[in-house]
Amino acid sequence: MGDPVTGGSEPDQDRPVLRVGVVGAGNISGQYFQAVPRLTNLRITAIADLDADRAAAAAADVPGARIAKPEELYTADDVDLVLNLTIPAAHAEVAHAAIAAGKHVYGEKPLAATTAEARAVLAAAENAGVRVGCAPDTVLGTGIQTARAALDAGDIGVPVAATAFMVTPGHERWHPAPEFYYRPGGGPLLDMGPYYLTALVTLLGPVKRVVGMSSTAQQTRTIGSGPRAGTVFPVEVETHVTGVLEHANGALSTLVMSFEVWAGNLPRIEVYGSRGSLGVPDPNGFDGEVRIFRAEAKEWEPVPELGGYRNASRGYGVSDLARAFAEGRPHRADGELAFHVLDVMESLLAAAKSGESVTIGSTCERPEAVPAAARPEEQ
């Protein structure tokens, strides 16, 4: 790995800049391409995609970025970190290629398609002396961090339980190529579960045991829009998953993840304590209102901002990694947290199949809280 260049925009002219090579220029990449250029400790230098035209279109919108083939990007002297935005089935392969070339890796969720693949990625990174980060970084925004600060301050007493719901009829209604959502590595749990489970672990700590049930109501799906509208494809994963998570602190979280529900009035996340309840905003976003109901109150009240990166977007976890690496401390959206979340999801699916509870083999530390009004290049 070459020496990081220095520079960037004010106020941090002398701060090392981590040079980022992006692999995968699909739908999610646009959010990173908008956010990363405004982060002073990151610079996108190269973009690769199996579709060369798509890579070229992305590079045209990112000043200073060049087009590269994936195999060239991994070994490039002007790349310090590989941002892995490929489909879940390719996450481990891309990560290994980057690590073998001595690059740090930050990937979209999940960390890999299976815990076996994910553990191999983390082991390779440890041997190579490079860092692994993984989405979601939405938990670093003001929404989840404000909720965490309220919990840590004891505002609702001792946490007893939580609920987390993500229900939709499915992504094929709007996505032009939705098949990967319904193949191994996809499904509502592995697709959207990382947002909710990472939030629950951030709020309540690691999970030690799970029980669950699952179903697949439809064996095929039909693309609903775009040039491939009407295309029918098979469903290979569970599309409705429900479970109960036992956290190490004793709290019980009830989780429902579904691609089978057309409408519902369910909260995204709520946490219930011995002295009140906390309403937590959508963990697929970075901000949103946190609400509290105290034992002595008569109604819900808004919670003022207590923590988190303001105006954050996808890519802030990469910036947080870059800052932590420069300072020699752990980054927040790290591989061990992502591995634990993947382990919980895999164990929940196993519990659903066996009908028995499953003890989680992994654990992780709650990441360091993000202070109020923080910027990733400052914390």
Side-chain angles (χ1 to χ4, degrees), residues 19-22 43-47 62 64-67 78-80:
R19 300 167 296 184
V20 178
V22 180
R43 180 181 302 162
I44 296 176
T45 55
I47 300 172
V62 181
R66 61 183 177 83
I67 307 167
D78 64 346
V79 171
D80 305 308

Side-chain angles (χ1 to χ4, degrees), residues 167-373:
V167 295
T168 174
H171 296 344
E172 71 277 7
R173 293 172 303 143
W174 55 269
H175 199 288
E179 286 92 339
F180 73 94
Y181 287 112
Y182 297 90
R183 293 172 181 160
L189 183 61
L190 286 173
D191 175 41
M192 296 300 294
Y195 297 107
Y196 290 77
L197 287 167
T198 304
L200 289 172
V201 171
T202 297
L203 296 172
L204 299 172
V207 177
K208 69 176 185 180
R209 187 164 62 107
V210 297
V211 295
M213 298 188 75
S214 64
S215 65
T216 305
Q218 305 173 62
Q219 300 305 309
T220 63
R221 295 275 175 147
T222 303
I223 297 176
S225 63
R228 301 177 62 225
T231 300
V232 178
F233 60 91
V235 175
E236 304 174 37
V237 295
E238 295 87 345
T239 51
H240 185 95
V241 182
T242 184
V244 178
L245 323 174
E246 181 185 7
H247 294 264
N249 68 356
L252 301 178
S253 292
T254 300
L255 184 77
V256 175
M257 300 280 114
S258 183
F259 284 171
E260 300 287 357
V261 179
W262 281 96
N265 292 311
L266 301 168
R268 297 293 188 174
I269 296 178
E270 286 184 350
V271 182
Y272 313 111
S274 59
R275 293 293 301 164
S277 298
L278 199 66
V280 183
D282 186 352
N284 192 17
F286 288 83
D287 51 18
E289 183 181 66
V290 178
R291 300 183 305 140
I292 190 169
F293 190 99
R294 304 177 192 271
E296 64 276 11
K298 295 182 179 180
E299 59 184 17
W300 290 88
E301 300 174 352
V303 178
E305 182 182 299
L306 300 174
Y309 294 134
R310 287 180 177 171
N311 303 315
S313 183
R314 284 171 171 83
Y316 271 58
V318 188
S319 183
D320 184 89
L321 183 157
R323 176 68 175 181
F325 174 66
E327 296 181 349
R329 59 175 174 80
H331 55 285
R332 293 179 173 93
D334 70 358
E336 290 298 333
L337 172 59
F339 179 87
H340 181 64
V341 167
L342 179 59
D343 194 10
V344 171
M345 294 189 295
E346 197 172 87
S347 298
L348 182 53
L349 292 175
K353 288 184 178 179
S354 70
E356 300 177 351
S357 68
V358 173
T359 299
I360 307 301
S362 66
T363 189
C364 66
E365 297 292 331
R366 289 174 79 204
E368 181 184 1
V370 180

